Each structure stands twice: as structure tokens, then as C-alpha cells.
Amino acid sequence: MEKFTRFASGVLAALLAACSDPAPAAPDATVVDRPAPVDAAPDLTVPDMTPPRAPLPAVVGLPALRDEDPDPRVVQVSITAAPGVATWRAGRETRVLAYNGVIPGPLLHARVGDTVRVRFRNELEEYTTVHWHGLRISDLMDGSPAIQEPVRPGGEFTYEFVVPDAGTFWYHSHVSTEQQIDRGLYGAIVVHEAEPPAVDRERLYVLDDVRLDSNGQIGPTLTSGPDVGRGRLGNVLLTNGQTARLTATAPRNGVERWRLLNAANARSMRVRVDGARWKVVGTDGGLLPEPYEPVEIVIAPGQRFDLEVRMEDGEAPAAQLVAMVPVAVGSAVEDRDFILAEVTFEGEVEPRPAWVAPSVTLPSTSPMGPLARNWALSGGVVDGGVEFTINGRAGVGHGSHDPRAEPVDRVAQGTPVRITLRSNVSPEHPFHLHGQFFQIVSPAARAAEEPGLKDTVLVRGNEAVTVLTWYENPGRWMFHCHIAEHAERGMMGEVVVIPRSE
Ligand code: C2O
Ligand code: CU
């Protein structure tokens, strides 16, 4: 129980994050002026001339996984999924599932181009896999239960991949997601740029909600019509696994990078920052070519936004991360402000120059003759239960994904394809494609409001959104609604991207 509250303080988390990187190792020296014994195999060891690298920037918010490999380009970590308890309601122990005993799971961070090796152990009483949401890695390492035999209780699996893109990503269970993610099996990934933009501090805020019953427990899932139809909304908001407002201090005029991620089953989070000047500088697929200054942002389940936050706003005493959440007031529904996190100003620093991002070029959104696809997101009642479909077909749930299910599409690697997602049912569907990025190309207003590379796009009821992907990563890729209840009830499918060489 202590475990879940131990990391409440951002300061402690910062210390942990800062301590997690081993001291840079000295390059190996190889002795060359000694004749090799005649029968011995030649020693092909090449001295490693790469200079030891600076430690990764600290990310305040979650404890970081310990890097077990001394090689500065390899990050090896151990993650164990196991049942645990959290104390979200005074005097109540909520039965949860957690990675390494904490919710969210610890931060996995690396630098772009690093090799990441995760020694995963399943101590749950059920099967599971780990999916690396947004990482464009091999499908064999993607945690898709259609490809990877799920890890049995007591079993182990080593995930290994090179992280190809810098940005804010996350990891989560990909089996019975509506209950495994809901109960706590999610964590954050930060892949740092080779030369990250200079800021005074980086903070990570992982948003979630859970529904606790009067005993403080998370009930069974997929049991009520509204929970399936809308996806299950919680009655408690969690920020980095905490119910209380997170607090920290920072000097006035400081510049921070805030990384936001929504891990909720179904709740899109409308957020804004008060008391500071802020811009969106990055999204699912990394930094944007141009930052933009919205009034608020909507973070759909699965999505990420990186903000630049300048601690300067007249007389405000603190910068606050505020969520606008609909609550029932009598018979009406009103949006109420919830302050999730507060950074109080203390002291002052010289203002930094304007944000200078590494130059970023996005793939073209107007390629010649792109293929067009229409995917209708629908659903209805079948045999007394709610079923969701894509183009009239229900995919089977994560828990029992049928590896022989026919893919919805086959495309050659590197082919630009416009996919129009039309929502015919339910208020919204945050649509996620594994292993690729895409850009919103229409409606024009959406494309302008939400620039950058995405892996998840919010499609609202009776809306059609067109995205363009270049299918750059070969393999078998799942796509699904990130409302876990919708995915588990059929709103998922697979696309096959045929490698260039075939
Ligand atoms: Cu974060 Cu298949 O999803
Ligand atoms: Cu959906």
C-alpha cells in the first residue's frame, strides 16, 4: 500500500529519475601489441570510440526504471506485472494490477536510436502482453496478441527494439485491455531527442480516471450497457496515479516542457494551463515544425501532447494544469475545473529566449494519387450484447484475438493512403493505428487545429475525419478504437504492410 503513495512527491520522483542513469562508462581499451597465440581465434574486438554520453535529462513525475546495462546505447530494464493495492480512498485498499508495484508503471526513458531491452515477467493470474504505444518497432515486439503468444501467468518475455523516434509514448497491456489497463497496467515512455531543446525542467503528467465503488474497488468490466456504449468513465481522476493535486515549485520566468498523456479507458481530457504562457510543441509523433498556442486541448485516450510552459503571466502565483470535466449538477451536466497539478513560483531566473526546436520536417500530405480507404465505425446490439464494427465486421477482442482473422487491408510499404474514418455510433472513437504515424488532412479545420504526426485521432459522433499515413513500417498492425470497451467488443482490425523487398 505504501508503494503507491511513496512517489507522491515530485521532488522524490525527480531524485529517482536523476539517479537512475549509470555513470557513463569508459570506452573499452583493447591491447593490440601482443602476438595472438597461433590457434586462437582472432580477437575482433574494436575499441568503442563513441564518447560517453551525457546522462538522460531528468523527467519529473514518475520514478524511472533502472538501466541495468552499462552500454550507454543500450537501455535494459526489468518490468514485472503483478496484483497490488492502491490507496485512492482514505482507509480503503483498492485491488489493482501494477507494473513494478506502482501506478503508472515506472518511466522508461532512452535516447532516440538506443536499443531498449525489457525483461518482462508476468506475475498476474492471467495472460498479458506489453504494447509500446506509438513506437515504430517490429511487429514481433509490438505486444499484439495476434502475433505474440501472450505471456502466461508466471511466464517471461524479453522485448527488444531500437527506439526510432523521439517523443512521448506509453506502454500498456494489450490483453483484456478494458480491465488490465483500467486496473493499472500502463506506464510512460520518453524518448529524448539527440539534442533536446533547452528547458529548465521536464515534467510528465499521466492522466487517468477510475471508477471506484463504495468499497473503493474497481468493479467488473463490460457489465453495463452504458459502460460498453460510451466506454467506462471513472469517478476519480488520477494524475500520475495520485488523486490529490500534484504540487511543485519553479522559478518565475523558467521554461518547462510538460509531457501529457491520457491513459484513461474512455474519457477524453479537456485541459488548459493557467498562470503561465503555454504552447503545444509536440504530439504523438514528436516535436512539431511550428509550436501553436491553443486556448485548451482535448487529449483523447491514447494521445500525447508536449507543451512549452513559460512561468510568466503577470501576477499569477502558480502555473496550473486544469482539466475541464463534465459533472452532474442536479439534472444538468456542467463543466467544472479540476486543478490536477500546480507549480508555485519561487524565486526568479532570467527569461530564456524563444523555444528553438530542432528542425522537423513532416511527410507530405499531398502526395500524387494516394490510395483512399473508407472505414465506417459502427455498432449495434447483437444477441442482446453491444457489438462494434469496422466496415460491418467485428474483430474479436484482444483477449481472444484470432491470429487467422482476415486483414482489413494490405498495402505495400511506403504507400501513401488516405483513410476516412466515419463514426456512425457513440459520442466518440479515439482511433489508433499501431506501428505508423499519420496526419489529419480533413476536415481542414481539424488538420489546422491538430498538426503533427499522430498515432491516435479523435473521431466524434457523426463526424468523418481523413488521415494520411505513409505505412512506413512493414508488418501486421492492429488498429482499433482506444476506448478499451469498444475495442474489446469488436472495434478493431488488422492491416498488413508488405515489406518493400518482397
Ligand atoms: Cu495503446 Cu493497441 O494500443
Ligand atoms: Cu470507440
Side-chain angles (χ1 to χ4, degrees), residues 428-430 481-483 486 491:
E428 52 186 48
H429 301 289
C481 178
H482 222 290
I483 292 184
H486 293 182
M491 197 172 278

Side-chain angles (χ1 to χ4, degrees), residues 417-448:
V417 179
R418 278 171 193 269
I419 306 168
T420 298
L421 302 156
R422 180 176 297 280
S423 165
N424 301 318
V425 70
S426 294
E428 52 186 48
H429 301 289
F431 190 87
H432 172 47
L433 172 61
H434 284 214
Q436 323 287 334
F437 295 134
F438 51 74
Q439 292 174 81
I440 301 172
V441 292
S442 100
R446 289 289 301 277

Side-chain angles (χ1 to χ4, degrees), residues 242-329:
Q242 306 295 318
T243 54
R245 180 185 306 183
L246 304 181
T247 58
T249 59
R252 227 175 251 282
N253 295 328
V255 177
E256 300 192 347
R257 179 173 182 173
W258 290 6
R259 299 172 182 266
L260 311 181
L261 134 63
N262 184 357
N265 271 31
R267 184 188 292 280
S268 286
M269 305 275 186
R270 266 179 74 202
V271 302
R272 62 170 202 268
V273 178
D274 283 351
R277 283 178 34 214
W278 63 289
K279 293 175 185 166
V280 176
V281 297
T283 183
D284 297 353
L287 293 173
L288 298 167
E290 294 283 344
Y292 64 95
E293 288 182 64
V295 176
E296 59 181 57
I297 51 174
V298 176
I299 315 175
Q303 289 187 317
R304 290 86 64 205
F305 284 87
D306 282 20
L307 313 181
E308 182 216 46
V309 180
R310 292 189 159 254
M311 305 297 177
E312 46 179 65
D313 184 23
E315 294 306 298
Q320 295 172 323
L321 178 64
V322 182
M324 289 150 273
V325 183
V327 292
V329 181

Side-chain angles (χ1 to χ4, degrees), residues 1-2 5 85-95 212-217 243:
M1 160 181 54
E2 259 316 291
T5 45
V85 288
T87 44
W88 287 321
R89 284 251 165 97
R92 302 267 182 212
E93 290 191 346
T94 305
R95 285 186 296 279
L212 299 180
D213 65 19
S214 52
N215 292 317
Q217 299 306 316
T243 54

Side-chain angles (χ1 to χ4, degrees), residues 15-253:
L15 286 174
L16 287 163
C19 294
S20 66
D21 298 299
D28 278 338
T30 309
V31 180
V32 288
D33 58 355
R34 181 159 41 103
V38 181
D39 280 327
D43 180 1
L44 298 179
T45 314
V46 182
D48 182 355
M49 301 306 284
T50 38
R53 299 183 319 163
L56 298 175
V59 180
V60 178
L62 299 181
L65 287 159
R66 194 174 65 82
D67 183 357
E68 301 158 358
D69 192 307
D71 185 328
R73 287 151 308 167
V74 178
V75 174
Q76 179 180 301
V77 298
S78 296
I79 297 180
T80 299
V85 288
T87 44
W88 287 321
R89 284 251 165 97
R92 302 267 182 212
E93 290 191 346
T94 305
R95 285 186 296 279
V96 296
L97 307 176
Y99 291 126
N100 292 7
V102 283
I103 296 176
L107 170 68
L108 168 56
H109 69 155
R111 196 174 266 114
V112 65
D114 283 352
T115 295
V116 172
R117 189 180 305 123
V118 181
R119 289 154 21 126
F120 174 68
R121 192 173 157 73
N122 179 11
E123 286 177 7
L124 305 171
E125 281 154 18
E126 53 193 307
Y127 283 76
T128 195
T129 61
V130 189
H131 168 54
W132 316 94
H133 181 129
L135 300 186
R136 300 192 297 170
I137 56 180
S138 157
D139 59 354
L140 301 176
M141 292 291 146
D142 188 51
S144 159
I147 297 179
Q148 178 193 354
E149 188 65 43
V151 185
R152 60 173 176 79
E156 293 179 354
F157 187 84
T158 299
Y159 293 93
E160 184 166 335
F161 43 81
V162 170
V163 283
D165 304 296
T168 307
F169 307 98
W170 62 305
Y171 60 97
H172 62 75
S173 150
H174 222 297
V175 170
S176 305
T177 56
E178 92 297 344
Q179 64 98 9
Q180 291 195 358
I181 300 178
D182 195 36
R183 298 172 88 85
L185 292 181
Y186 63 88
I189 304 174
V190 169
V191 180
H192 298 275
E193 291 85 17
E195 293 187 31
V199 290
D200 296 302
R201 194 169 283 306
E202 287 199 33
R203 297 183 201 274
L204 175 65
Y205 293 114
V206 183
L207 314 182
D208 189 12
D209 66 348
V210 281
R211 168 120 36 102
L212 299 180
D213 65 19
S214 52
N215 292 317
Q217 299 306 316
I218 298 169
T221 49
L222 300 177
T223 50
S224 88
D227 280 6
V228 177
R230 175 66 187 80
R232 183 152 84 183
L233 299 173
N235 53 8
V236 175
L237 290 177
L238 299 176
T239 311
N240 294 351
Q242 306 295 318
T243 54
R245 180 185 306 183
L246 304 181
T247 58
T249 59
R252 227 175 251 282
N253 295 328

